[in-house]
Amino acid sequence: DVKVTQSSRYLVKRTGEKVFLECVQDMDHENMFWYRQDPGLGLRLIYFSYDVKMKEKGDIPEGYSVSREKKERFSLILESASTNQTSMYLCASSLGTGPGTDTQYFGPGTRLTVL
Amino acid sequence: AQSVTQPDIHITVSEGASLELRCNYSYGATPYLFWYVQSPGQGLQLLLKYFSGDTLVQGIKGFEAEFKRSQSSFNLRKPSVHWSDAAEYFCATGGSSGYALNFGKGTSLLVTP
């Protein structure tokens, strides 16, 4: 079974802090994704990566950056956390079989609160 | 861009009753469509997916979905709901960013005794 793990289930940070959310997958998947989930808005794509050191912006990249130094690990970075970044963050990975057809496997999520 | 709409924000059904969750897609060609479920406090789990071929797709946990091009729909069904099916359900389609998915806003299912 594919396993996607996220470093924290719950995180509380202060406004202005630099925040790192870590995601690790164990199935040698090419693609990794960061989504943000908010009530009534569903899931929105922040960034995704299709290879080591490669990244592309999603629909809402402002205020976020990412890092993928190793294939299995994809980090989401909030350079200066703000209260409007309080949300559930979901990481996902996929094999890379083809655009639009790839099944994504999700981690359990990190609920981030910014005070 | 490909997108999906889930018209129902909340659905309540009695345990043992049948279930249908609606999903409408917006795309000219045959879309790639997915249904995911999210149990409370958990990540998303794939229930089933449709790419081509047989329009009735069987998934895990007794769920099925039917692709209807004439109605631009991909509705999720289950003949008899269990209390453990209470969760958030998301329809998704292949996104404009290649490998990413576009998700609907979700339907929250409540199961009553």
Side-chain angles (χ1 to χ4, degrees):
Chain A
D1 279 354
V2 176
K3 190 165 186 183
V4 180
T5 57
Q6 295 183 229
S7 51
S8 304
R9 292 300 301 273
Y10 300 93
L11 210 52
V12 179
K13 295 292 181 181
R14 298 276 181 196
T15 301
E17 278 192 79
K18 190 169 186 176
V19 181
F20 293 86
L21 302 183
E22 305 286 336
C23 175
V24 177
Q25 51 95 2
D26 67 356
M27 283 301 292
D28 202 34
H29 281 177
E30 299 294 327
N31 302 328
M32 296 188 75
F33 307 84
W34 276 106
Y35 292 92
R36 172 178 171 158
Q37 183 180 15
D38 299 289
L41 298 178
L43 276 73
R44 293 178 291 169
L45 181 67
I46 305 172
Y47 268 98
F48 77 98
S49 169
Y50 51 91
D51 201 351
V52 174
K53 298 190 185 294
M54 306 302 289
K55 61 186 180 184
E56 283 202 24
K57 293 180 180 179
D59 300 316
I60 52 165
E62 297 78 18
Y64 304 94
S65 62
V66 290
S67 173
R68 195 170 180 196
E69 296 296 320
K70 293 185 178 181
K71 192 174 186 179
E72 67 271 18
R73 188 179 298 271
F74 192 37
S75 302
L76 179 69
I77 304 156
L78 287 65
E79 296 290 343
S80 178
S82 64
T83 55
N84 63 12
Q85 292 177 309
T86 291
S87 187
M88 170 72 93
Y89 290 87
L90 292 167
C91 177
S93 71
S94 69
L95 186 59
T97 54
T101 65
D102 241 8
T103 297
Q104 292 188 15
Y105 297 87
F106 284 81
T110 295
R111 185 164 294 283
L112 173 67
T113 302
V114 182
L115 302 176
Chain B
Q2 302 168 50
S3 65
V4 291
T5 303
Q6 295 180 247
D8 304 305
I9 299 173
H10 300 285
I11 292 276
T12 300
V13 298
S14 300
E15 191 168 16
S18 64
L19 171 69
E20 183 168 27
L21 302 181
R22 296 185 291 164
C23 174
N24 297 109
Y25 67 87
S26 172
Y27 188 58
T30 299
Y32 303 119
L33 295 163
F34 305 78
W35 273 103
Y36 282 84
V37 61
Q38 184 181 32
S39 298
Q42 303 296 316
L44 276 70
Q45 180 183 23
L46 179 70
L47 285 174
L48 47 80
K49 58 188 177 184
Y50 173 77
F51 296 160
S52 64
D54 193 347
T55 56
L56 186 62
V57 181
Q58 300 297 320
I60 63 171
K61 305 186 183 206
F63 285 92
E64 66 178 25
E66 187 170 11
F67 174 71
K68 292 186 177 180
R69 183 184 300 279
S70 61
Q71 298 177 18
S72 297
S73 70
F74 187 58
N75 294 349
L76 183 71
R77 302 193 297 241
K78 187 169 185 178
S80 177
V81 171
H82 188 261
W83 63 266
S84 60
D85 293 323
E88 187 101 19
Y89 291 81
F90 293 93
C91 183
T93 186
S96 56
S97 301
Y99 289 95
L101 297 178
N102 282 339
F103 285 85
K105 294 185 178 180
T107 298
S108 180
L109 174 66
L110 177 66
V111 179
T112 59

